[in-house]
Amino acid sequence: DYARFSPDGASILFSHNDGPRTSLYRMPVAGGDSIKVVEDVVDGDWSPDGKRIGFVRLQPSGGKVGAAILVVGVQGEPEHEVAQPEGGTLKGPRWSPDGHSIAAVKNPIQPGSPSSIFVADVDSGKSRTIVATAGGFAILSLAWTGSNDDILYSQAESVSVTGAAGRILRQNLTSGGTETVFWSPYA
C-alpha cells in the first residue's frame, strides 16, 4: 500500500502488512528483492534528496492511541522521533520541497471532530497543527506545492446515497489563507 517513488525514480517505497504489524519496504523499480526499512508503521515518504524516509508510527499512550512522525536513513541509519501530536493519529506524511518539514493528516480521536494538518520541523522537532477549512469532512490526503508555504489537500464535503462531493484546497501555512482549487463530484 501507499507506494511512493524515490526522487530519482529508481526505487519504490511501500507499506506491507507482515501479519500483526505493517512494515515499510523499498524495492528497485527495475526489479529485485525488496528491503525492509522499518517495522510498525502506518506509511512513509522519501525526503527530497532520497537519503531519508519520514514515516508515521502509531504509539499507544495512557490507554489512548496516538502517533508520531519519525525519520530513518535509507542506508540503515537509526530512526529518531521528530514530533508527536496530542489528541490524534497521523497518516500520509509528506516532506516539504526543501526537506526541512514533514506534514501529515491529523485525525482526531473523538468522532465528529475535524481533521487537521500537522506540520513538524525535522531538525528542531517544533510542530504545529493547522485547522483545515471548517465545514468539511475528513482530509483524505495532502501534498506540498512547489513552495514550502502551500499544501494541497483533498477533503470530502458531502456524502449521500447517490454519491459524494469533494474538493481540493490550497492552504497557505504562513498566512493561514485557504482557497478552493476545484470541486470534484464522484459516485
Side-chain angles (χ1 to χ4, degrees):
D1 291 328
Y2 308 108
R4 305 284 296 168
F5 281 96
S6 61
D8 65 4
S11 298
I12 297 174
L13 178 71
F14 61 95
S15 60
H16 177 71
N17 188 315
D18 292 334
R21 54 177 57 168
T22 301
S23 298
L24 276 180
Y25 288 84
R26 64 183 172 93
M27 184 173 113
V29 171
D33 294 330
S34 58
I35 299 167
K36 187 184 288 189
V37 178
V38 67
E39 296 178 331
D40 290 330
V41 303
V42 176
D43 56 353
D45 191 29
W46 297 93
S47 64
D49 64 7
K51 295 180 181 178
R52 298 177 292 172
I53 294 170
F55 63 96
V56 169
R57 176 176 285 149
L58 295 180
Q59 299 193 330
S61 175
K64 296 181 181 179
V65 176
I69 294 177
L70 294 93
V71 172
V72 65
V74 174
Q75 300 301 321
E77 297 88 348
E79 64 184 60
H80 71 276
E81 185 174 305
V82 173
Q84 184 174 6
E86 291 186 26
T89 61
L90 300 171
K91 70 174 185 176
R94 298 292 176 254
W95 284 84
S96 62
D98 65 6
H100 293 296
S101 299
I102 298 176
V105 175
K106 180 181 174 192
N107 291 315
I109 294 173
Q110 290 185 316
S113 298
S115 297
S116 54
I117 300 167
F118 182 75
V119 182
D121 182 277
V122 175
D123 297 322
S124 70
K126 290 182 182 177
S127 63
R128 60 188 170 139
T129 299
I130 297 145
V131 177
T133 300
F137 289 90
I139 295 175
L140 305 174
S141 62
L142 59 84
W144 292 85
T145 64
S147 82
N148 296 303
D149 290 327
D150 292 318
I151 288 181
L152 295 172
Y153 61 92
S154 62
Q155 186 177 46
E157 282 297 313
S158 63
V159 180
S160 69
V161 177
T162 59
R167 61 184 174 162
I168 302 295
L169 296 111
R170 180 190 333 255
Q171 175 94 36
N172 184 282
L173 301 181
T174 303
S175 72
T178 303
E179 70 174 313
T180 298
V181 178
F182 63 86
W183 283 91
S184 174
Y186 54 94

